Amino acid sequence: MKKNYFLFAFLLLISAPSFGQIVATDDNLFAVTCGPNVQFFGDLLYSNDTLNGVALTQPPVLTIVPDQGNVSNIYYDTVNNTVSFDDSFGISYTIYMATGQINAVNMNFSSYTSSYFAYQICDPNNTSNCDIGYVYINMQPQEEVPYDDDFTVYPIANDIGGTTPSVLQNDFYGCSGNVYVLGINLPSGITIDTFSGVITVAIGTFPGTYIIQYELNSGYTANAIVVVTGPSTVVANYDNYSPIYAGTTTSSVLNNDLFNGVSIPNGAVSITPLNSISGFTLNADGTISIGALVGEGVYNLPYQICTSTGILSCSVNYAHITVLKNAVVGTVRYDSNANGCDSSDPTLAGIKIVNQNNGTTYTTYSFYDGTYRSIADQGVNTISAVLPSYFTVNPTVLTYNFTAAGITDNGDFCISANSSVDDLEIVAIPLSNVVPGLPISYVLAYKNKGTTLLSGQVSFQYDPSKMSFWTSTPAPDVATATTLTYNFTNLQPFEIRVIRPVKFHVLTPPTVNAGDSVSFASAITPVANDLTPLDNSNSVTQVVVNSLDPNDMLVHEGSTITLSQASNYLHYTIHFQNLGSSEAINIKIDNDVEAKLDWTTFELVSSSHPCIVKNKDNHNEFLFEGIYLPGTNDVDNSTGYVSYKIKPKSNVVVGDVLTNQALIYFDYNAPIATNTTSTAIVGNLNTPSFDSTTTKVYPNPVVDKLHISNDQTITEIEIYSVLGQKMLSKKVDALEVDIDMTNYPEGFYCVSVKGANGVGNYKVLKAN
């Protein structure tokens, strides 16, 4: 039994932890000197030493090894439990053996210095279990010293941005405690705080590994490694090269494109055209070469840019290019004070400018600021401003002989009145189709085409059985159940005013059904001395539909006109609406005029936005450049229109059908084709008509009694409102008759005078 007890005790003793191997791990410390005192940064003497693989739980037996390291004067103080010694630099060290804390005095350096010493630790329970370690000390001078930082373990996503720890966390601050950080040539999107030393990465910063250089106020520099992750963001922005000449090259479309919010660095993106346009070459550097044979016109070249490396990011936009070979530009002014045109005279918008060149006719109109730009081919170009004979145009024509391409010349026109003429015009423009239960809006555009200052009234008649008036801007001065009346004063020559929108609410079925006709009539007074009284009234007939197509074309006069009406203007309005989610920067409308329409009589009436109009023979082009038309995010402002008038040719006959259609381009998208309008020419009612030289209908305007006479017997008189309502049907057997119109509402009326040999139709204005 006794033998077994001693064996158990021996085994327990040799397996006890206190007899495990003790390990002294080397220490790398650095010391900061502030005067004679020293502060150590780093591990303490025992913090990384182990016994049996674990940290020391009680102080070991510590001795300094004198023959390893430049030490002398070793002294063990058993009272204070310390050991002290000197090194060859004259520094005196004191180690507290219970904690391993090191203190030193007599340190005073102006440069980096290093020292070391050796120590031995032994297990206090087994003093033969010992190990030797070394302490390496790096001395720091009394100034701010930066050390490199590696922040790769703190990656920052560029879609949210973020910050790193402070670069000062491992730097020596010196003894003053006042440290300032200055970033050196910091990359775009990266900043460093002067006081905290924190690096901030902005949202959208290009991904990658950045070496950030910074400097402390001591003048010493260091680097910090920052990793930014996430996709790059490229943005292609719209480019406008208008006008530019054939045979030239544009600047790069990349100049205003962005890469993570900044200009695109060289090689950062690749560029690809999205369609091919004959004569245009999109080069690798983003410039566009335009062939010498490219014709005048407007072109849209879409392209895509994508990141060249890293996570793929792409963006699409387009270049809007108006190509000219030559051009004549100028300003049209009105000599309002009869002393010749100068910069103080008003500019004129909407003046027709015609250029005749080798059998080709180019037509444009002066812009809202009075300026114009006319296409001019090589050869002789004869340019004129087209106005009625009661205006004088100076000069009468401008002549240019261009012998090469790429030339722009200047030529202004001065307009003055040579006689006193009253001439008003009004057009009612619908802004959409008529749909049961939905609102419908109209524009009343009226113009002083004469030379005198005029005041008067605008009236707008509607059918209250099919719709109710809602509102208008401005509000009507008088509103009855059927007619809205607006007063105007001092309408200047060439001045155009609009009342918009005039809003109605269409009644629902069964009152208003698809297929019904809805008519409106507008009129402007005075007409007593008006040079062209026919255009003092204008009617619109629309067919009610159940679906609403916002991109359409409408002929105001409806689906039929008589042969006698074919000598008057037809009015066309093209509506467009941006149904996309983003703005439409540019809108172009192409409109080829029907062969039976006389394109030389084309006149622009009105447009919702500033519009450049160009005609070449029978082709119309309407350009809304820089319109930035909102999309579905702003439906109320997403629509627009252009309205014009044109006459049928003089040789049209009964049975001819006049058609019209337009193509609407929203930026670089494929065109949207409108519906095709159709107007059939039908025979005149009850022909032949009275001889206009013997029929008299007066006074016009009429206040009370309308006198009608003819040298043939009058058999019947009918009066219709411009809305088609029959107001009177009277059988007559006389050469003269008076009709009492005292109680008729103000407005225009059609008076039909019938006789044995035909009928005559006359437009009469009822006034108060």
Side-chain angles (χ1 to χ4, degrees), residues 340-582:
C341 289
D342 54 45
S343 59
S344 64
D345 286 314
T347 58
L348 298 180
I351 302 301
K352 189 175 184 178
I353 307 295
V354 176
N355 178 15
Q356 298 286 347
N357 175 273
N358 296 324
T360 299
T361 301
Y362 296 103
T363 303
T364 189
Y365 288 78
S366 57
F367 205 39
Y368 69 94
D369 60 354
T371 61
Y372 75 90
R373 177 180 290 274
S374 176
I375 293 173
D377 279 335
Q378 292 189 40
V380 177
N381 297 263
T382 303
I383 299 175
S384 59
V386 179
L387 286 128
S389 60
Y390 46 84
F391 288 106
T392 298
V393 181
N394 187 23
T396 305
V397 295
L398 296 168
T399 302
Y400 301 89
N401 186 6
F402 292 108
T403 59
I407 301 172
T408 297
D409 217 326
N410 296 280
D412 297 336
F413 289 103
C414 178
I415 312 299
S416 59
N418 56 46
S419 58
S420 179
V421 173
D422 293 351
D423 196 4
L424 294 169
E425 179 184 17
I426 189 167
V427 178
I429 303 169
L431 296 184
S432 67
N433 290 325
V434 180
V435 181
L438 295 183
I440 177 71
S441 296
Y442 292 83
V443 171
L444 300 179
Y446 57 101
K447 177 181 180 181
N448 185 351
K449 301 192 300 179
T451 64
T452 58
L453 187 69
L454 293 172
S455 300
Q457 289 184 330
V458 167
S459 62
F460 193 43
Q461 292 178 276
Y462 64 98
D463 187 349
S465 68
K466 295 182 178 179
M467 62 192 61
S468 59
F469 172 63
W470 188 0
T471 184
S472 70
T473 303
D477 294 290
V478 179
T480 67
T482 61
T483 307
L484 309 174
T485 303
Y486 304 85
N487 299 324
F488 67 89
T489 59
N490 298 328
L491 188 66
Q492 301 281 343
F494 296 101
E495 183 180 2
I496 299 175
R497 296 181 188 175
V498 294
I499 302 170
R500 66 167 300 179
V502 184
K503 293 184 178 180
F504 298 88
H505 189 272
V506 182
L507 301 182
T508 57
T511 305
V512 178
N513 301 284
D516 290 349
S517 291
V518 174
S519 296
F520 295 84
S522 60
I524 188 169
T525 61
V527 295
N529 299 312
D530 199 277
L531 182 66
T532 55
L534 283 177
D535 61 15
N536 284 46
S537 64
N538 178 252
S539 61
V540 180
T541 299
Q542 293 178 264
V543 177
V544 179
V545 296
N546 277 329
S547 59
L548 179 63
D549 186 352
N551 298 290
D552 73 341
M553 191 171 190
L554 172 73
V555 54
H556 297 199
E557 285 69 22
S559 59
T560 61
I561 58 172
T562 65
L563 184 60
S564 62
Q565 291 172 326
S567 61
N568 299 325
Y569 282 100
L570 292 176
H571 294 77
Y572 292 95
T573 297
I574 303 167
H575 303 112
F576 54 87
Q577 182 173 14
N578 180 13
L579 298 177
S581 57
S582 61

Side-chain angles (χ1 to χ4, degrees), residues 29-35 37-39 41 107-114 137-147 170-175:
L29 309 180
F30 68 88
V32 177
T33 64
C34 292
N37 300 315
V38 177
Q39 179 183 3
F41 294 91
M107 275 188 168
N108 192 1
F109 302 98
S110 59
S111 61
Y112 294 96
T113 307
S114 61
I137 300 175
N138 295 304
M139 313 298 182
Q140 301 282 15
Q142 299 182 37
E143 55 187 348
E144 293 75 12
V145 180
Y147 288 88
N170 65 338
D171 295 346
F172 166 52
Y173 302 173
C175 303

Side-chain angles (χ1 to χ4, degrees), residues 273-285:
L274 294 183
N275 69 356
S276 177
I277 303 177
S278 178
F280 291 80
T281 302
L282 179 61
N283 303 308
D285 61 357

Side-chain angles (χ1 to χ4, degrees), residues 120-194:
Q120 177 180 275
I121 54 173
C122 298
D123 183 354
N125 299 312
N126 180 10
T127 55
S128 63
N129 182 17
C130 301
D131 193 21
I132 293 176
Y134 291 85
V135 176
Y136 299 95
I137 300 175
N138 295 304
M139 313 298 182
Q140 301 282 15
Q142 299 182 37
E143 55 187 348
E144 293 75 12
V145 180
Y147 288 88
D148 290 343
D149 302 270
D150 187 351
F151 295 135
T152 56
V153 295
Y154 305 103
I156 298 173
N158 73 342
D159 57 341
I160 58 175
T163 59
T164 68
S166 173
V167 297
L168 298 174
Q169 65 178 0
N170 65 338
D171 295 346
F172 166 52
Y173 302 173
C175 303
S176 67
N178 297 319
V179 182
Y180 304 97
V181 182
L182 175 65
I184 302 175
N185 296 325
L186 296 178
S188 177
I190 294 181
T191 58
I192 186 168
D193 186 81
T194 302

